[in-house]
């Protein structure tokens, strides 16, 4: 039984290798071109540094604003899709809707919003909001489902209303987790936002794509370096904040 | 103060936890519900404020039916019934005084409390109650930094803060060091005698029940098998409460 499973898995992988044209020899032949590419990127052209920094700032803004709006919008959705808070009539459809919209990536949302509202950072913000809202709502609802029932019972026993029970029995237990998830999403959104510019949704990706198209690899490498530093700085700040929350 | 008639609670899937209980508790009594674990004590107490929904029967608090009451009536009745739990059930990350303030939720208007606002009177009551359990100086500490005995005192202060006429305490000392049992039971007894509150406390320890109760109600397999003052709880009567269940 186990041997057949392994055989089937290997067969599937072999077929995918054939179908995608995966070929180590072809990769080997490409290596000189890769080296040539890297050589042409060096040294970075620092004259485009101001433009790259402006792009990086835009990217951070897109991620920050989009994540913050999503963090708030996801709150009601998170409660509505938590099994132990919402009634089955509510949370089943809410779950299905979340899973549906969550399976669409930020970049796809960006294409849609660029078509709807035009080029620039704004469709980028909308794309981040669209994806992050559903992914945070899912994380929120799982946190809510994992709470300790005890404080909820205790608050219920005081004669509190449903909203008061949520505010005093549930929220204090999940809020640190929520904030930690929001920071985590901010980190991934910074990365997602770097390529939003490729489809015209603003930020540093726009500069990267432009310089690559102009075959100005030394300018492109400056943009790449700025991107790496930006992501590392945001990751460091965010993970330090998250460590404090738990 | 509490009238229970024909109370039956079936827990899913099909466990008969409380099996036809009739009981009237008068104002100012200190009733200990005595029984082995699994005898239905916890379910019985939780049915008294409808944390568990009774399957059949009637519960009245101060003459008003709790069973079948609408949401608003249920809340005003719950307000009169403080509850203390085996696991304390504090919000661990919140401060001690905020935990006690939660006892005021049934009285405070919803909207301001959702924003975390309480009236000055509510805060004064909370600090008063904290002082009564001897923890005034710990008001600002996070609840989970306190010892188990201290956490249970905070939970009692929270119950007091709702200005109840009854306090239900579900095995309040079972998660504590045996040495702390008497300090918590003494505190509950003081609340009973000094404030005239009615107490219904579940216990599995016979000695503790005998030392504090004005009345003992023995539970076995969801039914009342003894009801009377501690003096009447003879060794055979106690043995009947604690008897091993017959095999299936």
């Amino acid at each position: 039984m186990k041997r057949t499973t392994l055989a089937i898995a290997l067969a599937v992988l072999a077929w995918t290798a054939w179908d995608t044209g995966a070929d180590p020899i072809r990769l080997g032949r490409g290596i000189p071109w890769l080296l040539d590419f890297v050589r042409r990127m060096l040294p970075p052209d620092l004259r485009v540094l101001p433009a790259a920094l402006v792009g990086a700032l835009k990217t951070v803004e897109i991620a920050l604003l989009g994540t913050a709006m999503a963090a708030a919008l996801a709150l009601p959705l998170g409660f509505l899709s938590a099994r132990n808070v919402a009634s089955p009539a509510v949370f089943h459809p809410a779950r299905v809707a979340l899973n549906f919209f969550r399976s669409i990536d930020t970049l796809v949302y960006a294409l849609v919003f660029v078509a709807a509202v035009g080029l620039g950072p704004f469709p980028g913000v909308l794309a981040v909001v669209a994806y992050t809202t559903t992914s945070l709502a899912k994380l929120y609802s799982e946190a809510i489902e994992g709470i300790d029932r005890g404080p909820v019972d205790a608050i219920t026993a005081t004669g509190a209303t449903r909203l008061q029970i949520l505010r005093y029995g549930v929220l204090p237990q999940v809020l640190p987790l929520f904030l930690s998830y929001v920071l985590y999403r901010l980190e991934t959104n910074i990365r997602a936002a770097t390529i939003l510019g490729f489809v015209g949704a603003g930020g540093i990706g726009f500069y990267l794509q432009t310089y690559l198209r102009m075959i100005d690899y030394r300018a492109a490498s400056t943009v790449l370096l700025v991107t790496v530093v930006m992501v590392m700085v945001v990751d460091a700040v965010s993970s330090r904040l998250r460590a404090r929350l738990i | 103060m509490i009238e229970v008639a024909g109370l039956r609670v079936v827990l899913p899937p099909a466990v008969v936890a409380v099996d036809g209980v009739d009981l009237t508790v008068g104002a100012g009594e200190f009733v200990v519900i005595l029984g082995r674990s699994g005898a239905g004590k916890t379910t019985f107490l939780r049915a008294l404020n409808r944390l568990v929904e009774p399957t059949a029967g009637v519960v009245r608090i101060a003459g008003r039916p709790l069973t079948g009451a609408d949401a608003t009536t249920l809340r005003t009745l719950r307000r009169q019934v403080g509850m203390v739990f085996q696991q304390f059930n504090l919000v661990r990350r919140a401060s001690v005084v905020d935990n006690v303030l939660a006892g005021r939720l049934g009285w405070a208007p919803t909207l301001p409390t959702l924003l975390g606002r309480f009236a000055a009177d509510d805060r004064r009551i909370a600090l008063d109650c904290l002082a009564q359990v001897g923890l005034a100086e710990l008001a600002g500490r996070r609840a989970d930094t306190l010892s188990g005995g201290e956490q249970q005192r905070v939970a009692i202060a929270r119950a007091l803060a709702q200005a109840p006429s009854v306090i239900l305490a579900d095995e309040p000392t079972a998660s504590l060091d045996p040495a702390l049992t008497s300090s918590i039971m003494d505190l509950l007894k003081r609340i009973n005698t000094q404030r005239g509150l009615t107490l219904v406390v579940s216990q599995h320890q016979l000695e503790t029940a005998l030392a504090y109760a004005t009345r003992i109600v023995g539970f076995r397999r969801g039914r009342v098998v003894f009801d009377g003052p501690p003096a009447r709880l003879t060794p055979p009567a106690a043995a009947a409460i604690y008897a091993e269940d017959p095999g299936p």
Side-chain angles (χ1 to χ4, degrees):
Chain A
M1 182 62 207
K2 251 184 187 168
R3 203 169 278 184
T4 17
T5 317
L6 189 65
I8 291 171
L10 286 176
V12 168
L13 285 177
W15 183 80
T16 54
W18 175 78
D19 199 45
T20 57
D23 180 357
I25 296 165
R26 216 172 120 197
L27 174 64
R29 270 196 240 122
I31 283 175
W33 293 103
L34 267 180
L35 293 175
D36 179 58
F37 189 76
V38 172
R39 194 180 47 74
R40 282 199 284 166
M41 286 176 96
L42 296 174
D45 181 356
L46 293 180
R47 282 173 306 171
V48 300
L49 189 61
L53 288 174
V54 168
L57 183 65
K58 278 266 156 47
T59 296
V60 173
E61 288 170 20
I62 290 170
L64 210 55
L65 182 60
T67 310
M69 284 170 64
L73 287 172
L75 269 180
L77 289 173
F79 280 96
L80 290 178
S81 49
R83 195 179 293 267
N84 55 341
V85 171
S87 68
V90 175
F91 95 83
H92 281 299
R95 269 289 156 92
V96 172
L98 284 189
N99 286 334
F100 179 85
F101 288 107
R102 216 159 44 90
S103 56
I104 302 167
D105 191 68
T106 311
L107 196 64
V108 181
Y109 278 116
L111 281 168
V112 175
F113 284 118
V114 165
V117 302
L119 298 171
F122 182 50
V125 172
L126 292 176
V128 169
V129 170
Y131 177 76
T132 310
T133 299
T134 52
S135 77
L136 275 179
K138 172 95 172 169
L139 290 171
Y140 285 179
S141 69
E142 279 165 4
I144 294 165
E145 286 174 355
I147 60 163
D148 174 10
R149 184 78 214 161
V152 177
D153 283 344
I155 303 296
T156 308
T158 66
T161 61
R162 271 182 78 85
L163 284 175
Q164 285 175 327
I165 295 166
L166 290 181
R167 165 70 177 79
Y168 287 91
V170 179
L171 202 61
Q173 292 192 58
V174 295
L175 202 58
L177 277 173
F178 283 10
L179 289 174
S180 159
Y181 292 150
V182 168
L183 287 170
Y184 167 71
R185 288 309 321 180
L186 178 68
E187 291 169 35
T188 50
N189 280 340
I190 291 277
R191 267 180 278 257
T194 56
I195 52 167
L196 286 178
F198 280 37
V199 297
I204 198 163
F206 168 76
Y207 295 90
L208 185 60
Q209 196 202 27
T210 307
Y211 293 134
L212 285 176
R213 274 197 185 152
M214 289 160 59
I215 325 182
D216 188 348
Y217 294 132
R218 291 178 53 203
S221 68
T222 305
V223 177
L224 268 181
L225 284 176
V226 169
T227 306
V228 168
V229 171
M230 170 189 75
V231 169
M232 284 173 66
V233 167
V234 171
D235 274 8
V237 172
S238 172
S239 61
R240 199 165 284 189
L241 283 174
R242 277 198 287 146
R244 273 211 214 156
L245 284 170
I246 304 297
Chain B
M1 184 54 63
I2 306 173
E3 295 157 72
V4 178
L7 185 69
R8 201 176 139 81
V9 184
V10 181
L11 298 175
V15 181
V16 182
V18 178
D19 191 6
V21 170
D22 301 288
L23 190 71
T24 301
V25 178
E29 283 195 86
F30 193 114
V31 176
V32 168
I33 309 281
L34 188 64
R36 292 154 49 102
S37 63
K41 308 186 296 289
T42 295
T43 308
F44 175 70
L45 285 182
R46 290 167 71 89
L48 294 185
N49 61 358
R50 270 176 66 190
L51 283 185
V52 167
E53 201 60 48
T55 313
V58 179
V59 176
R60 283 198 185 81
I61 304 291
R64 295 173 68 190
L66 181 87
T67 38
D70 61 77
T72 314
T73 314
L74 177 61
R75 286 202 305 273
T76 49
L77 288 174
R78 274 179 177 158
R79 208 159 65 174
Q80 299 180 44
V81 183
M83 192 158 195
V84 175
F85 302 82
Q86 179 178 345
Q87 300 296 342
F88 329 133
N89 291 359
L90 300 181
V91 175
R92 301 171 55 83
R93 297 176 161 277
S95 72
V96 165
V97 69
D98 282 348
N99 268 287
V100 181
L101 260 176
R104 298 303 300 162
L105 285 172
W107 299 91
T110 298
L111 207 58
T113 58
L114 290 183
L115 302 171
R117 296 217 181 92
F118 284 88
D121 269 352
D122 289 329
R123 295 193 171 275
R124 192 181 45 73
I125 292 169
L127 288 171
D128 268 5
C129 293
L130 208 47
Q132 282 177 51
V133 301
L135 294 179
E137 73 282 5
L138 297 184
R141 287 264 295 273
R142 237 174 82 148
D144 57 5
T145 63
L146 270 56
S147 71
E150 287 167 339
Q151 289 194 37
Q152 193 60 299
R153 284 169 178 272
V154 174
I156 291 169
R158 174 175 63 191
L160 286 177
Q162 66 189 79
S165 35
V166 181
I167 287 185
L168 310 174
D170 181 20
E171 296 270 7
T173 59
S175 327
L176 298 176
D177 217 284
L180 287 167
T181 299
S182 59
S183 81
I184 293 294
M185 291 302 288
D186 286 343
L187 178 59
L188 292 175
K189 187 72 186 171
R190 211 172 72 219
I191 289 163
N192 169 244
T193 52
Q194 291 179 1
R195 286 198 170 205
L197 259 64
T198 309
L199 268 98
V200 183
V201 182
S202 69
Q203 265 291 343
H204 62 273
Q205 278 187 309
L206 180 63
E207 306 74 41
T208 314
L210 291 171
Y212 291 92
T214 59
R215 176 180 171 192
I216 291 177
V217 174
F219 259 59
R220 192 174 126 72
R221 305 183 77 196
R223 292 201 176 116
V224 175
V225 294
F226 175 87
D227 186 355
R232 270 191 34 220
L233 187 65
T234 56
I241 295 173
Y242 285 101
E244 291 286 334
D245 289 332

